């Protein structure tokens, strides 16, 4: 039993008004070790019982079996648990060394499915930093769901349909060339698109031309379809380069176009339920009964064309029917909040009780050296360039620190990409943040490379020791303070895993990995780990456990853990 479970069970025995799960969700790790190892705040109980939190904390302490812990005390509104250091060290290290990367895995999800709509860039446009965020947050959440016993289904809902493709076809046919597109697909297509908009400002009939080509596309015109398929394939090739660099895969690339033949069903249901109404020639669902602040969801335009919303409704239904998800997540920027509130509202009006399982996982805006990015005007920061620059910065530091390292290029790629990904995941996802590559790729401070470096350092100690690390119960006497900091941090990992899923926050794991790295580096600076004495094996067990948990944390975040750097 982990210490977390021990505390939960103990508290369950004396608190009748909260379920074990509710108790566990409230457990905190105290800021400093003189407040113990796990704290239980009593505020929620105080509300329920109409008593002072301080009083409740004392009542709980008086009822608890103290023999299971070093001590349990009430500090103001908190119940603070102090674990027996020697036995805790022993049980944590034993658990980690025997379970290895399975440490912290739980079965909460019962193998049910979680669909994750992620990345979802738009064809013929460069992938933006926002899409990068969606990709890496989605990927980390997929790993986290799996760690919590669910089966993730990663879906790339490509933006591959809409009137813009009519414009693009017109532009390509009128002033584009095959060679140009082949040489540099996305940049060229983007240029055509930008040029189209410039020309349309002067000559409005261009918009009609664009619409006409989109209509042809929708009607299955062979030429239009062929061009569209080609644009899509060329774009996907470029996106794949980025996915490969980040080592991120998808279970489905069904984008918006996939739902073309699945929207009638949605429209039928809306009609049958009598919630589809005409408004100025368009078809809409009025949502003011659900929430007076919501604007209507637009289902069909005046010309009968479907919209982003129509396709998303079809996709939501398709996903439920295909995967029978327990949760359906949409990792999409916060600027689309209203869209997803509307979508959920329409799904509930359609009578789907699973609408409650649909969640918009919003995230904040990234700026790059203070600048916002936009694709409309074409002044974009290309992701490829960001990753290339990160690679170069990593390589420079490796050359300074470890000039004899083999596979420098490979490690530089793992560190560069890892730095970008880690930085993206380190902040609460809804925060906006600025991106400065120099800071992000540093080997010290709150960075991915710092965690990678710490892990590589631990692995290098293990290599030097040339010993197989074993667990033998009588050797573990790791009860000094620096060691204890590591042990109690390692001990938190299983609850960190649960919490990161409950809050849909990969940042909880990233922050945890930084904490564990700091604890380990403090220890490393002050102890002679490799000295031969009767504690050697115990110290190596500690080092090995740190590297297991650090590598697993990095894996969950989608960051590589190089063995040397
Ligand atoms: N392609 C959209 C964009 O770039 C994001 C799609 C998000 N997913 C969804 N099911 N709507 O803004």
């Amino acid at each position: 039993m982990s210490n977390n479970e021990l505390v939960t069970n103990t508290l369950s025995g004396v608190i009748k008004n909260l379920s074990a799960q509710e108790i566990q969700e409230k457990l905190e790790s105290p800021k400093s070790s003189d407040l113990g190892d796990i704290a239980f705040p009593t505020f929620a109980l105080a509300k329920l019982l109409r008593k002072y939190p301080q009083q409740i904390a004392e009542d709980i302490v008086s009822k608890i079996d103290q023999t299971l812990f070093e001590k349990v005390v009430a500090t103001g509104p908190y119940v603070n648990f102090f674990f027996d250091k020697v036995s805790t060290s022993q049980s944590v290290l034993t658990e980690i060394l025997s379970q290895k990367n399975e440490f912290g895995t739980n079965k909460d999800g019962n193998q049910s499915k979680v669909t994750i709509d992620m990345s979802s860039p738009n064809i013929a446009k460069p992938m933006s930093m926002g899409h990068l965020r969606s990709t890496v947050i989605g990927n980390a959440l997929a790993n986290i769901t799996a760690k919590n016993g669910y089966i993730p289904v990663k879906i790339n809902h490509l933006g591959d349909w809409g009137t813009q493709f009519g414009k693009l076809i017109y532009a390509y046919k009128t002033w584009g060339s095959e060679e140009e597109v082949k040489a540099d697909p996305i940049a060229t297509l983007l240029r055509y698109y930008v040029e189209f908009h410039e020309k349309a400002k002067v000559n409005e009939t261009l918009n009609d031309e664009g619409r006409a080509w989109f209509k042809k596309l929708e009607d299955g015109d062979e030429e239009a379809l062929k061009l569209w398929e080609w644009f899509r394939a060329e774009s996907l090739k470029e996106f794949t380069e980025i996915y490969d660099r980040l080592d991120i895969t998808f279970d489905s690339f069904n984008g918006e176009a996939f739902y073309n033949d699945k929207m009638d069903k949605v429209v039928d249901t809306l009609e049958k339920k009598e919630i589809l109404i005409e408004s100025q020639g368009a078809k809409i669902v009025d949502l003011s009964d659900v929430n007076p602040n919501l604007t209507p969801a637009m289902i069909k335009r005046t010309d009968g064309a479907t919209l982003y919303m129509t396709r998303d409704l079809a996709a939501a239904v398709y996903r439920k029917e295909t995967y029978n998800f327990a949760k359906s997540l949409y990792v999409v920027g916060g600027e689309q909040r209203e869209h997803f509130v509307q979508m959920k509202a329409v799904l509930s009006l359609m009578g789907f009780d699973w609408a409650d399982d649909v969640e918009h996982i919003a995230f904040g805006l990234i700026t790059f050296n203070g600048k916002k990015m936009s694709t409309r005007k074409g002044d974009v920061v290309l992701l490829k360039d960001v990753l290339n620059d990160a690679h170069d910065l990593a390589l420079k530091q490796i050359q300074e620190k470890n000039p004899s390292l083999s596979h420098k290029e490979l490690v530089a790629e793992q560190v560069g990409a890892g730095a970008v990904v880690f930085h993206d995941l380190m902040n609460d996802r809804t925060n906006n943040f600025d991106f400065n590559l120099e800071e992000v790729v540093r080997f010290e401070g709150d960075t991915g490379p710092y965690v990678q470096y710490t892990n590589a350092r631990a692995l290098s100690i293990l290599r030097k020791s040339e010993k197989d690390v074993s667990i033998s119960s009588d050797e573990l006497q790791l009860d000094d303070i620096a060691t204890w900091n590591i042990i109690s941090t390692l001990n938190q990992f299983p609850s960190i895993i649960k919490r990161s899923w409950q809050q849909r926050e990969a940042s909880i794991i990233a922050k945890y990995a930084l904490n564990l790295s700091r604890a380990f580096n403090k220890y490393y600076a002050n102890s002679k780990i490799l000295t031969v004495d009767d504690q050697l094996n115990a110290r190596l067990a500690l080092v090995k456990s740190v590297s297991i948990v650090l590598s697993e944390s990095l894996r969950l975040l989608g960051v590589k853990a190089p063995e040397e750097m």
Side-chain angles (χ1 to χ4, degrees):
M1 182 165 26
S2 73
N3 280 324
N4 207 283
E5 288 165 327
L6 177 64
V7 169
T8 307
N9 288 351
T10 307
L11 285 171
S12 292
V14 297
I15 300 172
K16 295 293 163 237
N17 313 64
L18 297 175
S19 70
Q21 165 146 6
E22 286 168 324
I23 291 173
Q24 189 177 37
E25 284 173 18
K26 294 198 168 49
L27 299 182
E28 295 176 6
S29 328
K31 289 270 174 291
S32 95
S33 55
D34 37 293
L35 291 170
D37 304 300
I38 288 186
F40 175 73
T42 56
F43 304 106
L45 273 180
K47 258 195 203 144
L48 279 173
L49 302 175
R50 296 166 180 278
K51 276 194 196 169
Y52 288 113
Q54 290 82 344
Q55 183 61 48
I56 295 180
E58 274 165 30
D59 289 351
I60 292 175
V61 169
S62 70
K63 288 184 199 149
I64 275 180
D65 178 1
Q66 292 267 354
T67 62
L68 298 169
F69 304 93
E70 190 185 274
K71 63 178 175 181
V72 183
V73 295
T75 315
Y78 287 92
V79 180
N80 292 327
F81 294 83
F82 294 74
F83 298 131
D84 178 73
K85 295 188 172 47
V86 174
S87 70
T88 303
S89 303
Q90 212 159 295
S91 69
V92 176
L93 297 185
T94 307
E95 230 180 296
I96 299 175
L97 293 182
S98 60
Q99 299 179 4
K100 304 198 180 63
N101 55 354
E102 288 295 332
F103 177 64
T105 306
N106 67 66
K107 297 193 165 70
D108 289 359
N110 257 317
Q111 297 296 299
S112 57
K113 294 203 170 96
V114 175
T115 52
I116 306 179
D117 186 305
M118 52 183 267
S119 196
S120 312
N122 301 316
I123 295 302
K125 283 191 190 172
M127 207 190 281
S128 69
M129 288 303 275
H131 295 121
L132 172 76
R133 289 216 79 187
S134 169
T135 310
V136 304
I137 295 173
N139 184 57
L141 283 177
N143 294 332
I144 292 167
T145 52
K147 187 90 180 161
N148 280 283
Y150 296 87
I151 300 173
V153 183
K154 295 185 276 183
I155 303 173
N156 196 330
H157 188 79
L158 290 172
D160 57 3
W161 205 250
T163 43
Q164 69 271 29
F165 294 100
K167 298 176 185 171
L168 199 56
I169 291 172
Y170 175 81
Y172 172 76
K173 281 183 61 70
T174 318
W175 64 85
S177 91
E178 187 173 337
E179 293 75 59
E180 272 181 347
V181 175
K182 280 206 169 131
D184 192 359
I186 292 184
T188 308
L189 293 173
L190 177 66
R191 180 159 60 76
Y192 295 162
Y193 186 68
V194 172
E195 283 165 2
F196 180 94
H197 276 276
E198 274 161 14
K199 293 187 190 197
K201 264 190 228 152
V202 196
N203 178 1
E204 284 217 1
T205 57
L206 242 59
N207 285 318
D208 299 329
E209 302 278 2
R211 259 194 293 275
W213 271 104
F214 182 57
K215 181 88 177 65
K216 281 195 187 180
L217 186 58
E218 280 199 302
D219 295 342
D221 174 88
E222 211 175 306
E223 186 187 9
L225 219 50
K226 244 175 96 185
L227 283 173
W228 171 79
E229 265 162 20
W230 180 51
F231 296 158
R232 188 182 190 273
E234 290 292 332
S235 305
L236 208 48
K237 248 190 246 164
E238 275 198 60
F239 296 152
T240 305
E241 274 172 36
I242 303 232
Y243 298 142
D244 286 350
R245 273 181 93 161
L246 299 174
D247 197 16
I248 289 177
T249 57
F250 295 88
D251 300 298
S252 160
F253 280 93
N254 289 338
E256 294 187 40
F258 178 76
Y259 299 99
N260 275 339
D261 60 357
K262 298 173 180 61
M263 285 180 285
D264 284 348
K265 205 170 98 179
V266 169
V267 175
D268 282 352
T269 312
L270 291 172
E271 262 161 4
K272 273 198 204 99
K273 295 255 166 192
E274 295 178 1
I275 46 181
L276 195 65
I277 55 175
E278 287 238 4
S279 165
Q280 298 164 354
K283 298 212 165 144
I284 63 162
V285 177
D286 181 74
L287 299 171
S288 58
D289 278 353
V290 185
N291 177 343
N293 300 320
L294 273 183
T295 53
M298 173 93 92
I299 306 296
K300 277 196 171 180
R301 260 199 259 268
T302 7
D303 61 1
T306 56
L307 293 107
Y308 182 55
M309 175 65 82
T310 330
R311 292 187 277 281
D312 252 333
L313 289 168
V317 174
Y318 176 83
R319 287 172 195 174
K320 185 64 193 179
E321 286 171 354
T322 308
Y323 304 109
N324 191 23
F325 55 71
K327 294 280 171 206
S328 179
L329 312 186
Y330 292 76
V331 187
V332 185
E335 69 281 357
Q336 292 193 32
R337 186 164 275 127
E338 172 148 31
H339 169 77
F340 287 105
V341 176
Q342 288 180 319
M343 182 180 98
K344 281 185 70 160
V346 176
L347 291 170
S348 330
L349 288 176
M350 288 170 87
F352 298 123
D353 54 1
W354 49 262
D356 290 339
D357 299 321
V358 171
E359 290 178 31
H360 176 203
I361 307 295
F363 54 79
L365 188 77
I366 305 190
T367 48
F368 195 77
N369 295 332
K371 274 181 285 183
K372 198 182 153 174
M373 275 157 276
S374 87
T375 51
R376 256 297 160 88
K377 297 188 208 76
D379 60 345
V380 279
V381 176
L382 292 177
L383 222 44
K384 240 194 304 197
D385 297 340
V386 172
L387 291 175
N388 288 342
D389 291 351
H391 173 108
D392 294 348
L393 282 168
L395 191 61
K396 215 170 91 190
Q397 291 180 83
I398 291 167
Q399 252 140 8
E400 280 163 19
K401 286 198 171 220
N402 193 356
S404 62
L405 179 72
S406 47
H407 311 299
K408 277 200 204 79
E409 284 291 329
L410 175 71
V411 176
E413 181 63 20
Q414 295 182 334
V415 173
V420 173
V421 171
F422 190 92
H423 182 72
D424 197 324
L425 295 174
M426 182 179 94
N427 301 289
D428 293 1
R429 61 181 154 74
T430 48
N431 285 0
N432 299 332
F433 64 87
D434 192 53
F435 197 91
N436 175 308
L437 213 49
E438 303 264 341
E439 272 168 37
V440 164
V441 192
R442 278 190 311 146
F443 282 27
E444 291 98 32
D446 291 350
T447 66
Y450 174 69
V451 177
Q452 290 173 316
Y453 192 69
T454 308
N455 179 56
R457 176 177 268 173
L459 290 173
S460 129
I461 296 169
L462 295 169
R463 269 195 309 274
K464 273 192 207 132
S465 82
E466 291 174 356
K467 251 180 70 139
D468 275 344
V469 181
S470 65
I471 345 160
S472 101
S473 50
D474 50 21
E475 281 175 296
L476 298 159
Q477 295 284 334
L478 299 154
D479 53 0
D480 64 283
I481 188 70
T483 315
W484 178 245
N485 260 333
I486 299 180
I487 295 285
S488 64
T489 309
L490 289 172
N491 196 26
Q492 290 163 6
F493 190 62
S495 57
I496 289 288
I497 295 300
K498 291 194 178 202
R499 200 139 49 83
S500 66
W501 169 238
Q502 279 154 3
Q503 300 183 18
R504 320 287 194 249
E505 268 293 358
S507 64
I508 291 177
I509 293 176
K511 286 176 184 143
Y512 171 84
L514 288 169
N515 271 342
L516 181 56
S517 300
R518 277 184 222 113
F520 180 73
N521 284 319
K522 224 176 245 166
Y523 169 79
Y524 176 88
N526 297 313
S527 37
K528 299 194 172 65
I529 298 173
L530 289 171
T531 307
V532 181
D533 60 15
D534 63 349
Q535 286 286 291
L536 176 61
N537 186 54
R539 286 192 299 269
L540 292 176
L542 183 76
V543 174
K544 181 146 193 186
S545 298
V546 167
S547 87
I548 288 172
V549 174
L550 280 183
S551 326
E552 180 62 0
S553 302
L554 290 172
R555 185 193 68 80
L556 289 167
L557 297 173
V559 173
K560 292 275 183 281
E563 300 204 349
E564 287 178 77
M565 63 187 265

